[in-house]
Amino acid sequence: MPFAQLVIGPPGSGKSTFCDGMHQFMSAIGRKCSVVNLDPANDHTSYPCALDVRDLVTLEEIMEDDQLGPNGAVLYALEELEHNWEWLEQGLKGLGEDYVLFDCPGQVELFTHHSSLRNIFFRIQKFGYRVCSHPSFLLQPLFYTDFQSFKLVALHLTDSYILTLPSLYISTLLLSLRSMLQMDLPHLNVLTKIDNLSIYSPLPFNLDFYTEVQDLSYLLPQMAQESSVMGNPKFEGLNTAIVELIEDFGLVSFETLAVEDKRSMMNLLQSIDRAGGYAFGGAEGANDTVWQVAIREGMSSMTAQDVQERWIDRKEEIDEMQRKALEEEAKAQETHSLVDDAQDDDEIGEVQRYIPNSGVKVVRQK
């Protein structure tokens, strides 16, 4: 039973970087993985692309032929993909049992009110994909097919910089909520580039306040101090209404990710596997035996407090500890290599001492 991740999010959130990092990570743990590029504007992918929408339609062609701007051309390209569903269907069939990553465009219209991307995902379900994700089982569609089905997990990536400004954080919550309702798929929201938080201004609250979306009323005074516009009494009622709306739904929460950190990637993939059902068995039988052992032993588990300690409170200290550990490991490997070489030389010498002299002298002709 194949599995897949649908990677969405605004521009600059790190979708392509995530797909590249996740592809490398899955390859390292022995999980077969393919990446599908659904972004017609992404002409330089850093990952090996198993299926590329640009083979069907390119942004440059649409802009030239239909006199559209970049945003309108992306929307038009997704409509073209929707109308040429057979091309995508045949491409997905060719991927077999591979775990699939869908790298989607960054225009927020595509997952807030435009219908093409949503319709494509629905077609994927009818093609044999079954949707399952975190955090809300209430949104899980009960759809099954008689042939092999895929399990999809929708990942909504957002740059963690939004935590530094209350207005950005609230608007991101609203965007995430709107995306969840528009796509009609369960979401797993991810704060990317979490390793950059230490270079920004200190957060007024601990990280778990933001990841768990706790009492948002505490942010209202922070928003008023953010700018003179936000402090205007005319906005007070609007801000309060938005906060109450988000809390009434109670659907949004966040995972965190530092894509270059192995433990952070392990922690996120563990959440994805549990959300999509991969952790409970699938196409590859034992499902990455080493990976399963790591999950059972809790090797990849990280709480919000662990993330804050690693990337905010003690980042420089832990970075230095890891740097020294890597240097010691490199020295140990170099020493071990020298010892092996010396042993090989000794063995060759021993062999040469025991080779008998035949007494035959070879004279080369001049």
Side-chain angles (χ1 to χ4, degrees):
M1 181 184 299
F3 295 77
Q5 298 174 23
L6 313 176
V7 185
I8 62 175
S13 58
K15 296 183 295 299
S16 295
T17 301
F18 169 82
C19 289
D20 184 26
M22 183 60 72
H23 179 268
Q24 293 183 35
F25 187 79
M26 287 189 178
S27 299
I29 64 174
R31 187 182 304 186
K32 295 180 180 179
C33 177
S34 296
V35 186
V36 176
N37 177 36
L38 295 183
D39 187 356
N42 189 1
D43 56 349
H44 296 289
T45 58
S46 55
Y47 48 78
C49 195
L51 189 61
D52 194 343
V53 71
R54 289 179 60 85
D55 294 336
L56 174 69
V57 60
T58 66
L59 191 72
E60 296 79 11
E61 291 175 350
I62 296 175
M63 293 177 64
E64 181 178 353
D65 296 343
D66 298 279
Q67 300 298 309
L68 294 174
N71 289 341
V74 170
L75 300 182
Y76 187 91
L78 267 292
E79 292 175 358
E80 282 290 308
L81 179 60
E82 180 187 356
H83 294 154
N84 291 274
W85 161 254
E86 294 77 11
W87 176 86
L88 181 59
E89 181 180 12
Q90 291 300 319
L92 293 176
K93 287 181 179 179
L95 300 181
E97 296 288 330
D98 285 8
Y99 195 114
V100 182
L101 305 175
F102 290 95
D103 187 8
C104 300
Q107 276 68 14
V108 297
E109 301 97 315
L110 290 170
F111 44 91
T112 58
H113 61 271
H114 195 266
S115 61
S116 288
L117 193 61
R118 169 182 173 173
N119 293 341
I120 290 171
F121 289 162
F122 284 173
R123 295 286 296 269
I124 291 175
Q125 293 180 60
K126 295 179 181 179
F127 165 64
Y129 284 60
R130 183 170 54 186
V131 179
C132 177
S133 183
H134 172 84
S136 175
F137 66 90
L138 296 176
L139 296 178
Q140 179 179 342
L142 300 177
F143 184 91
Y144 300 90
T145 62
D146 295 332
F147 47 96
Q148 73 168 5
S149 62
F150 276 63
K151 286 188 175 181
L152 308 185
V153 178
L155 301 181
H156 188 170
L157 308 188
T158 306
D159 192 331
S160 59
Y161 176 77
I162 59 104
L163 302 183
T164 62
L165 294 174
S167 60
L168 279 180
Y169 177 65
I170 295 297
S171 62
T172 297
L173 292 175
L174 196 60
L175 174 62
S176 299
L177 177 60
R178 182 69 187 96
S179 301
M180 296 171 73
L181 299 178
Q182 162 69 14
M183 300 302 296
D184 198 21
L185 298 173
H187 274 56
L188 196 158
N189 302 294
V190 182
L191 292 172
T192 61
K193 309 177 187 178
I194 202 71
D195 48 324
N196 289 339
L197 275 181
S198 61
I199 66 176
Y200 304 137
S201 301
L203 301 178
F205 303 102
N206 287 335
L207 186 61
D208 58 351
F209 175 88
Y210 300 95
T211 58
E212 298 172 7
V213 191
Q214 298 177 8
D215 191 350
L216 298 178
S217 63
Y218 287 103
L219 289 178
L220 293 176
Q222 301 286 334
M223 293 177 66
Q225 298 174 9
E226 186 178 319
S227 68
S228 57
V229 175
M230 289 295 176
N232 193 313
K234 294 181 179 180
F235 286 93
E236 184 177 352
L238 175 62
N239 294 336
T240 301
I242 293 175
V243 164
E244 291 176 351
L245 173 68
I246 295 170
E247 292 182 332
D248 286 345
F249 275 92
L251 296 177
V252 185
S253 63
F254 292 97
E255 300 289 338
T256 60
L257 175 66
V259 73
E260 296 182 353
D261 183 71
K262 179 172 63 176
R263 190 182 178 195
S264 180
M265 187 69 83
M266 289 175 66
N267 182 67
L268 178 59
L269 185 55
Q270 177 180 341
S271 298
I272 296 171
D273 285 349
R274 288 177 174 172
Y278 188 92
F280 307 106
E284 298 171 4
N287 276 3
D288 315 326
T289 302
V290 176
W291 178 246
Q292 291 291 71
V293 171
I295 290 179
R296 284 198 303 271
E297 298 298 328
M299 294 172 61
S300 58
S301 178
M302 290 185 72
T303 64
Q305 290 77 13
D306 295 330
V307 175
Q308 171 152 346
E309 180 182 20
R310 172 63 184 92
W311 298 114
I312 300 177
D313 298 339
R314 300 177 56 204
K315 182 179 185 300
E316 293 183 359
E317 177 185 351
I318 296 177
D319 283 347
E320 181 65 18
M321 292 171 55
Q322 290 186 350
R323 185 187 64 80
K324 290 182 178 180
L326 289 174
E327 289 180 352
E328 293 177 358
E329 182 180 353
K331 290 180 181 179
Q333 290 179 351
E334 182 179 357
T335 301
H336 187 269
S337 177
L338 292 175
V339 171
D340 288 344
D341 292 341
Q343 290 177 347
D344 292 341
D345 292 340
D346 291 342
E347 291 175 358
I348 293 174
E350 288 292 328
V351 171
Q352 289 177 342
R353 280 200 297 270
Y354 284 100
I355 296 177
N357 187 355
S358 63
V360 178
K361 184 177 181 181
V362 178
V363 179
R364 296 183 181 275
Q365 293 182 354
K366 296 182 179 180

